[in-house]
Amino acid sequence: MLRYLNQCSKGRGAWLLLALTAFALEMVALWFQHVMMLKPCVMCIYERCALFGVMGAGLVGAIAPKTPLRYAALLIWLYSAWEGLRLSYQHTMLQLHPNPFTTCDFAARFPGWLPLDKWLPSVFVATGDCSERVWSFLTLSMPQWLMIIFAAYLLVALLVLIAQPFKPRRRDLFSR
């Protein structure tokens, strides 16, 4: 399996699949926001940013998968999946254990050199409450589903990282 993951990490298809899954999740988030009229909270916006990081990792890895750029993409993937898991866990705790003294911010705090909420307000402006549970599927809320998704991203990223030293076997018809 590790040899197979090593081989996949050196091809564009796997990296594009990673970017495509993150893009699909971003489109689902925008559908929830603009079609179902669910208001995203600050934690939702930060979790979206982590998904954009995973998507960016897939695109960086697809640029030159057989070069050391693959390792940069893998680091972006690991960091984004870890941050997404951490943020969705915090968000889940805010929903499961609401506390008037522990709340999320009123607006997302982006660095001055990257004001995403000013550049693209329809995607990055938070209007909801973090402790409010507005959607669930199979008894799990949205941040709980995101915990599962980011944990899966992180697990696969760790397996791909572990697989990097494993070289694919050379297939020769006449040797043993």
Side-chain angles (χ1 to χ4, degrees):
M1 180 180 84
L2 291 175
R3 292 184 203 286
Y4 177 73
L5 287 174
N6 183 331
Q7 183 181 357
C8 286
S9 74
K10 293 179 181 172
R12 280 192 175 85
W15 290 105
L16 289 174
L17 181 62
L18 175 68
L20 182 67
T21 60
F23 178 74
L25 289 168
E26 291 290 350
M27 291 299 103
V28 168
L30 290 174
W31 186 74
F32 279 138
Q33 179 180 352
H34 295 292
V35 176
M36 292 181 64
M37 297 303 188
L38 300 179
K39 297 177 182 178
C41 66
V42 172
M43 296 299 285
C44 295
I45 299 300
Y46 291 152
E47 290 157 359
R48 277 187 195 177
C49 290
L51 269 176
F52 274 116
V54 172
M55 183 170 52
L59 294 175
V60 168
I63 291 172
K66 294 183 179 170
T67 67
L69 189 60
R70 176 177 81 246
Y71 294 106
L74 194 51
L75 288 176
I76 296 168
W77 183 8
L78 284 164
Y79 176 73
S80 297
W82 173 257
E83 279 299 306
L85 183 61
R86 186 184 65 78
L87 288 165
S88 56
Y89 175 77
Q90 281 182 337
H91 193 179
T92 299
M93 289 301 111
L94 284 172
Q95 286 186 349
L96 293 179
H97 310 292
N99 183 347
F101 302 110
T102 307
T103 61
C104 58
D105 296 333
F106 291 111
R109 290 179 287 152
F110 293 109
W113 54 271
L114 190 67
L116 295 174
D117 53 340
K118 306 283 189 284
W119 292 347
L120 204 56
S122 62
V123 177
F124 293 107
V125 169
T127 55
D129 181 16
C130 292
S131 61
E132 189 178 343
R133 189 175 176 164
V134 295
W135 179 88
S136 66
F137 179 67
L138 299 175
T139 71
L140 296 177
S141 67
M142 201 174 302
Q144 290 172 319
W145 280 108
L146 283 172
M147 278 178 57
I148 294 168
I149 290 165
F150 282 119
Y153 275 141
L154 185 61
L155 177 66
V156 174
L158 287 170
L159 288 173
V160 170
L161 178 66
I162 292 168
Q164 291 309 299
F166 290 84
K167 303 293 180 209
R169 282 192 199 138
R170 192 181 153 127
R171 305 251 180 205
D172 192 0
L173 187 61
F174 299 107
S175 67
R176 283 189 152 212

